[in-house]
Amino acid sequence: MGNGYAVVDVETTGLAPGLHHRVIEVAVVQLDEAGRTVDEWCTLVNPQRDLGPQHVHGIRAAEVRTAPTFADIAGDLALLLRGRVLVAHNFSFDARFLQAEYARLDVDLPFTAMPALCTMRLADRFLDTAARSLAACCAAAGVRLGTAHSALHDARAAAGLMACFLDRAGGPESWRDTAHGAHAWPWPELAAVGTPPVVRGQEHREESHFLAKLVDVLPRVAQPPQADAYLDVLDRALLDRDVSAAEQQELLDTARGLGLGLPEVTALHRDYLGALASAAWADGIVTDEEGADLKLVAALLGLGGEDVARAFEAAEEAARADGGWTRFRLEPGDRVVFTGQMSQPREVWEERAAATGLVVAGGVTKKTRLVVAADPDSLSGKAAKARGYGIPIVSEDSFADLLADLRDR
């Protein structure tokens, strides 16, 4: 009858490919004619733009930075789908995005016209439910649903629905014509290069602390004459109390450019921690929040509890360590730019920024003081330009703290 089924699911930056939204994750679960799983494949996809509603799909920019582009996987994906009946829950959605991605590569693959099955439409025939959602259909069919808005989990769920429908239909005969059409469909010849997939969380499971990469840098120097340059970059990276993947790379590049080895950088990090401890002791009181913040920064810098204790001990003897750098602060008139889909409406943030005297700009220039991103590792054009200019990129929470600091002065 054919080669079986290819159940596909995509996660995207938005709802419509015509609005320049892209695929950011794609999964395929291959079934035989009886509905048994024979293979699975899934990868994140670098869309070369911001990731859209990250609070929905849960994909972080740090995870897709090293993921393949759609061009890298186009041939591999086509090989997984070729000759099989395509299946998806709300197939038209996945079809439109896949069709648009191949069209960007000048490949004509009319997914919307291919022989295919939609588990959402088939639910009317085989399930006793009026609901359309994947979760509701799985509940009615007794199919396990994993993490929602994960391409692989959603594809597995849709595959479970397809297996259920095959069983209730008495076998694949109900879709014989669809299977013949899929088997005969003329796919273009695309090279399958076997691009290694990148899955969610893969980078973070395998990554050691970023300072480990400094072991093989240039020879040591006794007293770094340009330590301020590194501390300035470090200060910017820690604005939101997180060192994103992009910021890790910037710190490593800065250290290498200054000829700093691991011992020198570790010493600078201890000095930085000491300065924070001194600032906390400046009013004679260290709050629980300040103590927790210092421990968090220490962990981000690759330091431990003993380093925190020593920093507090030294801070009790001095109001503030004498360094050649100052803490990042916003001032009235500073220009700020927003990028990505925020957890709060962007208009709310813009009003809050304007209320403190900041200037909200639509684009990034050399005069921009700060970029606020839904994800500090954002791949948006604004974020890329900001990194090129050395402009800090911070999260919404960090921006809220900076606004509070500006209001309290």
Side-chain angles (χ1 to χ4, degrees):
M1 240 183 97
N3 297 328
Y5 306 87
V7 186
V8 63
D9 187 85
V10 299
E11 295 300 317
T12 64
T13 63
L15 301 178
L19 299 177
H20 306 293
H21 287 298
R22 304 291 303 274
V23 169
I24 53 176
E25 187 178 34
V26 58
V28 178
V29 176
Q30 293 181 330
L31 307 177
D32 64 15
E33 293 180 3
R36 295 180 294 254
T37 298
V38 294
D39 200 6
E40 293 181 344
W41 177 87
C42 181
T43 187
L44 293 170
V45 181
N46 188 333
Q48 301 176 304
R49 54 150 290 170
D50 72 88
L51 297 180
Q54 292 174 268
H55 61 284
V56 175
H57 53 64
I59 297 172
R60 303 199 319 150
E63 294 178 307
V64 302
R65 287 177 72 245
T66 57
T69 64
F70 195 87
D72 295 328
I73 64 164
D76 300 321
L77 178 59
L79 183 62
L80 292 167
L81 303 179
R82 183 193 306 270
R84 294 177 176 270
V85 176
L86 303 187
V87 180
H89 197 78
N90 189 10
F91 178 76
S92 65
F93 178 87
D94 302 86
R96 286 185 289 110
F97 269 97
L98 290 173
Q99 186 167 303
E101 289 290 352
Y102 279 100
R104 287 187 179 93
L105 305 176
D106 294 323
V107 176
D108 182 20
L109 265 174
F111 282 86
T112 54
M114 288 183 182
L117 296 173
C118 176
T119 54
M120 186 176 72
R121 292 183 177 276
L122 290 173
D124 290 339
R125 177 179 169 188
F126 294 104
L127 297 179
D128 184 19
T129 178
R132 298 187 306 270
S133 73
L134 180 61
C137 290
C138 285
V143 172
R144 181 181 178 276
L145 178 66
T147 304
H149 300 294
S150 159
L152 183 56
H153 287 186
D154 286 354
R156 285 172 176 168
L161 288 177
M162 190 63 213
C164 172
F165 299 161
L166 282 164
D167 180 65
R168 294 184 181 183
E173 296 300 321
S174 296
W175 300 289
R176 177 180 293 275
D177 291 343
T178 304
H180 283 315
H183 185 67
W185 189 268
W187 285 72
E189 291 298 325
L190 297 173
V193 297
T195 300
V198 172
V199 298
R200 296 186 187 219
Q202 176 173 294
E203 180 181 28
H204 302 291
R205 285 196 301 270
E206 295 180 352
E207 284 286 318
S208 56
H209 194 279
F210 75 94
L211 288 182
K213 299 177 183 177
L214 283 174
V215 173
D216 297 324
V217 298
L218 298 175
R220 297 175 55 186
V221 291
Q223 294 182 343
Q226 297 178 344
D228 290 348
Y230 179 83
L231 289 172
D232 178 67
V233 176
L234 182 64
D235 191 41
R236 292 166 184 261
L238 287 171
L239 280 176
D240 54 0
R241 293 304 186 251
D242 182 32
V243 183
S244 68
E247 290 166 339
Q248 290 178 20
Q249 190 58 54
E250 185 178 1
L251 285 167
L252 291 172
D253 290 344
T254 300
R256 292 188 178 107
L258 296 173
L260 302 177
L262 183 59
E264 289 73 41
V265 171
T266 300
L268 290 175
H269 285 189
R270 290 195 176 108
D271 290 344
Y272 187 96
L273 194 69
L276 289 179
S278 295
W281 270 107
D283 59 0
I285 300 174
V286 177
T287 66
D288 290 342
E289 183 179 359
E290 289 171 332
D293 183 62
L294 205 70
K295 292 177 181 177
L296 172 60
V297 171
L300 292 170
L301 297 179
L303 304 177
E306 292 183 0
D307 295 294
V308 174
R310 281 196 294 266
F312 274 132
E313 290 171 4
E316 289 185 68
E317 302 174 0
R320 188 176 180 87
D322 184 18
W325 52 280
T326 57
R327 184 165 65 91
F328 184 96
R329 306 177 90 169
L330 289 172
E331 302 292 343
D334 282 346
R335 298 169 66 89
V336 296
V337 173
F338 296 89
T339 184
Q341 187 168 331
M342 307 287 179
S343 60
Q344 294 189 53
R346 186 173 298 187
E347 294 78 10
V348 173
W349 283 117
E350 291 177 348
E351 290 175 3
R352 292 178 63 182
T356 59
L358 299 174
V359 177
V360 178
V364 175
T365 69
K366 291 182 179 179
K367 294 182 179 180
T368 302
R369 177 68 168 152
L370 186 74
V371 171
V372 184
D375 183 337
D377 274 314
S378 173
L379 303 175
S380 72
K382 292 178 182 177
K385 185 175 288 187
R387 293 187 188 102
Y389 290 148
I391 298 168
I393 303 172
V394 302
S395 67
E396 294 172 79
D397 289 343
S398 177
F399 183 58
D401 292 339
L402 290 169
L403 288 180
D405 176 68
L406 181 55
R407 284 194 305 269
D408 293 343
R409 274 183 270 150

